[in-house]
Amino acid sequence: MRPAPTPGKYPVRFGTAELLRDADRPNAWVISVDGVAQSHVDLDDPQDLEFDYIRRIADVVDCLGEGPLDALHVGGAACTLPRYIAAARPRSRQLVFDADGELVALVREQLGLKGLKVRVGDGREGVSGRYDASADLVIVDAFERGVLAGGLATVEFTSEIARVLRPAGTYVANVSDGPNLPFLRRFLATLASSFPHLAILAEPGVLRGRRFGNIVVAASRVELPVPEMTRRAASSAYPARCVAGEDLRQLQGKAKPIADAEALPSPVPPKDVFGIF
């Protein structure tokens, strides 16, 4: 039997990680880095998802038919989503890339990574090293101090993801934005350069530009399961809107794709937006 995790603060590559016990669940844990919440995992029930944007990503995954998936994850932290997919879709083959080796070691020691394959290194380089048409799903959720690295939101990297995905594969990304959604609009234009079908999930207040928050973006070369995604978003414990089709094209407007030469990072979140709950 594994020893119980030890709450406390630990130095990692991108700052100071803190491991906290969830007061409401006997074996659930939260990891933050420099006060920014990174992951929540319930070791007794990996399908119990606390963070709203993680639940929305899982909803997209749940709508992708049945059976195991070949999945790549860029950004892992405590590997909430890989744990979820492993529990919900047994025999899935998954590979996680995370740039913070010290954080990976902390998670492995304190929370365990049994059955999960995690590689320490740059996620973009990791994806570029994969074979053509080798994945059913690519999930990008890689933030440093609340900001998505600019190199993960470019046309060039998007084309690499499209290359690695099978023809009916799905790309899901977590991004964040604030009033008027300028970064989201450009990110949508970037994804549209490789994927004809897009959809987003977010709280209505975020989509109206009233507050800063997470937006989950799904992209594919085939039709996305928008009706089912819409139903799940509306009935979730964290109700959200699903926007696709013409409404999404209007939101994107005349925004220009992001290229490597620019490598525009996502906006810095206001203080305490992504803090410990």
Side-chain angles (χ1 to χ4, degrees):
M1 178 179 290
R2 290 185 57 82
T6 304
K9 294 185 177 182
Y10 302 84
V12 294
R13 177 180 175 184
F14 296 117
T16 300
E18 185 170 15
L19 179 64
L20 296 171
R21 184 188 296 275
D22 184 336
D24 298 324
R25 297 170 176 82
N27 201 18
W29 300 85
V30 180
I31 284 185
S32 69
V33 176
D34 287 350
V36 178
Q38 300 288 317
S39 295
H40 176 284
V41 294
D42 188 332
L43 298 180
D44 292 336
D45 182 6
Q47 293 179 265
D48 178 23
L49 304 177
E50 177 68 24
F51 292 173
D52 53 358
Y53 80 90
I54 292 288
R55 179 67 261 176
R56 291 181 195 124
I57 295 175
D59 284 342
V60 175
V61 175
D62 288 347
C63 292
L64 302 179
E66 299 180 353
L69 294 169
D70 290 337
L72 294 179
H73 302 260
V74 177
C79 291
T80 305
L81 283 164
R83 295 175 198 265
Y84 177 87
I85 292 173
R89 295 172 179 261
R91 301 184 307 281
S92 289
R93 295 185 298 182
Q94 302 186 80
L95 177 59
V96 182
F97 296 104
D98 197 292
D100 194 328
E102 290 84 355
L103 182 59
V104 171
L106 171 64
V107 171
R108 192 182 303 278
E109 177 185 2
Q110 296 292 334
L111 304 178
L113 288 172
K114 184 178 179 180
L116 297 177
K117 185 181 294 185
V118 181
R119 291 185 183 173
V120 175
D122 180 82
R124 178 162 171 166
E125 292 179 3
V127 170
S128 296
R130 305 305 293 172
Y131 291 114
D132 293 359
S134 58
D136 302 304
L137 175 67
V138 175
I139 297 176
V140 172
D141 181 20
F143 281 70
E144 296 173 15
R145 298 180 177 88
V147 176
L148 177 72
L152 300 180
T154 67
V155 169
E156 290 84 353
F157 182 51
T158 300
S159 67
E160 278 297 285
I161 291 176
R163 177 188 64 78
V164 168
L165 281 170
R166 296 182 175 120
T170 305
Y171 171 28
V172 185
N174 172 43
V175 300
S176 59
D177 209 354
N180 298 319
L181 305 171
F183 179 80
L184 174 65
R185 296 173 196 273
R186 296 200 61 185
F187 187 63
L188 291 173
T190 302
L191 266 58
S193 66
S194 293
F195 299 102
H197 301 283
L198 306 175
I200 61 174
L201 296 165
E203 292 181 9
V206 174
L207 289 179
R208 290 202 242 354
R210 292 180 179 174
R211 69 180 192 83
F212 197 97
N214 293 103
I215 304 110
V216 170
V217 185
S220 182
R221 286 180 289 240
V222 300
E223 290 279 355
L224 290 163
V226 171
E228 186 175 354
M229 289 166 56
T230 300
R231 287 193 295 271
R232 282 177 173 266
S235 62
S236 171
Y238 314 99
R241 282 186 59 206
C242 179
V243 181
E246 184 57 33
D247 289 340
L248 191 64
R249 285 186 284 273
Q250 289 184 10
L251 175 62
Q252 175 184 326
K254 297 181 180 179
K256 295 180 179 180
I258 304 166
D260 272 348
E262 183 179 7
L264 179 72
S266 64
V268 176
K271 187 177 180 181
D272 298 331
V273 166
F274 297 142
I276 298 296
F277 61 90

